[in-house]
Amino acid sequence: EPPRVTDKGDGTYSIDFAQERAGTYTLHVWVRGDEEPATLAVSVEPASVSIAHSTVRGIGTGWSAGGATSFEIEPRDVHGNRCDGADTVWSVRVQGKQPLLAAAAAAASAECAASMCRDAASGSWRVRTSFASAGDYCITIVGRRRGESSDVPPIHARGSPFAVCVTGGAAEPSR
C-alpha cells in the first residue's frame, strides 16, 4: 500500500505508511515539484514477540545418545522479524525414554538457567542437553509473557512439538 500524505492545513503534512519488515528505510519526499527530493531516514523496529511465530533451529540435527546436543529458539514478531523477546518465559520439555525438563526466563543480559542460555545480543535462546540412550523423543517448546498468569495456557513455538529420533549414531528428525 502506498504512503498516505495528509495536508494538516497549517503548512505541514503527515505521512502514514505501514512496513512489516524491520530495518532502516530511506524516504524520498518531493515538495511542490522540487527537482531534488528531501531524504528522510526512517527506522522500523520489530513488533513485540509472537511466541507462535518464533522459530526453532537445529532441533534433531545430528543427535546421538551420549553426545551433547543443542538447538536455538529465535524470538520473532508476527511478521517474522527477529526481536528481543526479553519479556518471554520459555519452557522446554523432553519426553521419551529419558524425561527432562528445562525452563528459563529471559533477562536483560546473557544468563544460564538449567540447560538454557540467552544471548543478549540476538535475543536467541540456546538449549543444551544430552541423551543417555537412543530412542524416540518428543520435544515441546512453549512460551508465555513474563508476569502472565499461569491460568493462561502457554503458546507453542512454530513447529512444536517436535518428534526426534536419537540414535547410537547421527539422529534424524522424524517430522
Side-chain angles (χ1 to χ4, degrees):
E1 179 177 326
R4 187 180 58 210
V5 179
T6 305
D7 183 346
K8 295 172 76 176
D10 61 2
T12 64
Y13 296 85
S14 67
I15 302 172
D16 295 311
F17 67 98
Q19 178 56 280
E20 294 177 352
R21 302 306 284 166
T24 301
Y25 295 87
T26 302
L27 296 180
H28 301 282
V29 181
W30 283 265
V31 179
R32 292 191 174 94
D34 287 350
E35 293 206 15
E36 291 295 318
T39 303
L40 305 169
V42 177
S43 179
V44 176
E45 299 297 322
S48 62
V49 69
S50 167
I51 295 164
H53 290 87
S54 296
T55 58
V56 179
R57 292 184 323 142
I59 199 157
T61 305
W63 290 8
S64 60
T69 61
S70 68
F71 58 90
E72 193 170 313
I73 303 169
E74 293 181 335
R76 304 269 177 171
D77 69 12
V78 71
H79 305 293
N81 298 300
R82 286 184 82 148
C83 55
D84 180 66
D87 64 343
T88 306
V89 176
W90 293 101
S91 295
V92 176
R93 184 166 186 191
V94 180
Q95 294 175 295
K97 285 188 175 183
Q98 176 190 4
L100 304 170
L101 180 64
S109 61
E111 70 180 57
C112 296
S115 61
M116 191 179 283
C117 299
R118 181 172 178 267
D119 180 320
S122 71
S124 296
W125 286 90
R126 168 82 52 193
V127 180
R128 292 182 176 91
T129 191
S130 62
F131 295 85
S133 59
D136 294 326
Y137 294 85
C138 178
I139 300 175
T140 303
I141 303 168
V142 295
R144 71 173 77 234
R145 298 236 184 260
R146 181 185 301 283
E148 192 170 57
S149 167
S150 60
D151 294 339
V152 176
I155 300 169
H156 284 265
R158 184 182 296 164
S160 175
F162 299 92
V164 175
C165 179
V166 175
T167 65
E172 294 296 325
S174 54
R175 177 167 150 59

